[in-house]
Amino acid sequence: MSMVPEPGILAAFEAAKGFMPADEGLALYAAAAEAGRLGLPLLEIGTYCGRSTILLADAARTAGVTALTVDHHRGSEEQQPGWDYHDPETVAPELGLMDTLPIFRRTLHRAGLEDHVVALVGRSPRIAALWAAPLALVFIDGGHTDEHATADYEGWAPHVAEGGLLVIHDVFPDPVDEFTGQAPHRIHQRALASGAFTDVSATGSLRVLRRTGAGI
Ligand SMILES: C[S@@+](CC[C@H](N)C(=O)[O-])C[C@H]1O[C@@H](n2cnc3c(N)ncnc32)[C@H](O)[C@@H]1O
């Protein structure tokens, strides 16, 4: 199984709306390809327009598993009108609200990966509260406030199977580097302190950890 996406998948990733740089995307793909060997689903919190989902979907396709992606599709705080990461094309004019779901669906369709993804549309903690199945990989890239990042960690990290991977985006240990706050850094520290996770790799702001212990 390749740990690197084919050129067509990489091109689809780079063409998709979103913020993840290529080096972090390659690290996410390698983690997803490795975790997929467990034969369990891969889950992402923070679909946005599907940029990172393309990578999880292709790794899932290769491994014969399903990629799941969670988002309410109304955008995070820093993506709302007037904020630095706002994209006017993500607003549904008739609603006056962000709606990234149609863009995500087009992105996935164009990449030919629709059959490998289940989109879960709603608030992450509400979905996590209903969840019971073990997961090969959990990728946390949802809301970046302490409230949201903590809820994502507490709601989803317990579902990472033994030997599976927890991936956290936008981890900035140095406040000088931060642009959306240090909540992802704090959940990374919490995961390590729990004794349930061990660091595997760091690429840019992406951290990959392996589930090596029980209590979280
Ligand atoms: C940084 S973007 C995700 C970027 C995406 N992974 C990519 O690579 O392009 C964060 C996303 O998380 C979603 N989000 C934020 N808080 C959420 C919550 N509590 N439940 C569900 N989705 C949430 C937002 O709607 C937004 O689309």
Side-chain angles (χ1 to χ4, degrees):
M1 182 188 303
S2 173
M3 306 304 268
V4 181
E6 288 170 7
I9 295 297
L10 200 53
F13 164 79
E14 287 184 326
K17 244 187 221 308
F19 312 101
M20 180 174 282
D23 61 338
E24 295 181 356
L26 291 173
L28 175 64
Y29 188 91
E34 189 209 308
R37 291 176 183 151
L38 292 179
L40 298 169
L42 316 173
L43 183 137
E44 161 182 75
I45 304 111
T47 317
Y48 191 55
C49 299
R51 187 173 167 97
S52 48
T53 318
I54 288 173
L55 302 176
L56 296 183
D58 191 58
R61 178 190 63 76
T62 308
V65 300
T66 298
L68 300 145
T69 184
V70 175
D71 204 307
H72 50 49
H73 287 282
R74 296 291 185 226
S76 297
E77 285 78 356
E78 73 279 5
Q79 295 163 347
Q80 301 304 319
W83 291 81
D84 284 357
Y85 290 87
H86 180 62
D87 180 340
E89 289 176 8
T90 62
V91 176
E94 74 279 19
L95 300 177
L97 286 174
M98 281 182 66
D99 185 5
T100 50
L101 183 58
I103 304 172
F104 159 69
R105 298 207 69 200
R106 283 196 286 275
T107 301
L108 214 59
H109 177 75
R110 286 192 190 115
L113 291 166
E114 273 183 326
D115 285 351
H116 306 284
V117 178
V118 173
L120 300 165
V121 180
R123 298 196 169 273
S124 166
R126 296 198 71 151
I127 301 171
L130 301 171
W131 200 260
L135 299 163
L137 176 139
V138 167
F139 172 45
I140 300 182
D141 194 18
H144 285 26
T145 62
D146 275 303
E147 178 196 348
H148 290 129
T150 300
D152 289 342
Y153 175 75
E154 291 179 353
W156 293 106
H159 298 294
V160 177
E162 178 83 21
L165 299 175
L166 174 67
V167 184
I168 307 173
H169 195 212
D170 290 329
V171 172
F172 294 101
D174 181 349
V176 170
D177 291 336
E178 78 180 288
F179 64 91
T180 54
Q182 283 190 293
H185 167 62
R186 284 189 276 277
I187 61 167
H188 175 237
Q189 293 303 300
R190 187 170 160 189
L192 291 174
S194 74
F197 293 97
T198 312
D199 258 335
V200 173
S201 68
T203 305
S205 70
L206 193 89
R207 298 291 181 276
V208 179
L209 305 95
R210 188 181 310 283
R211 178 101 191 241
T212 49
I216 291 186

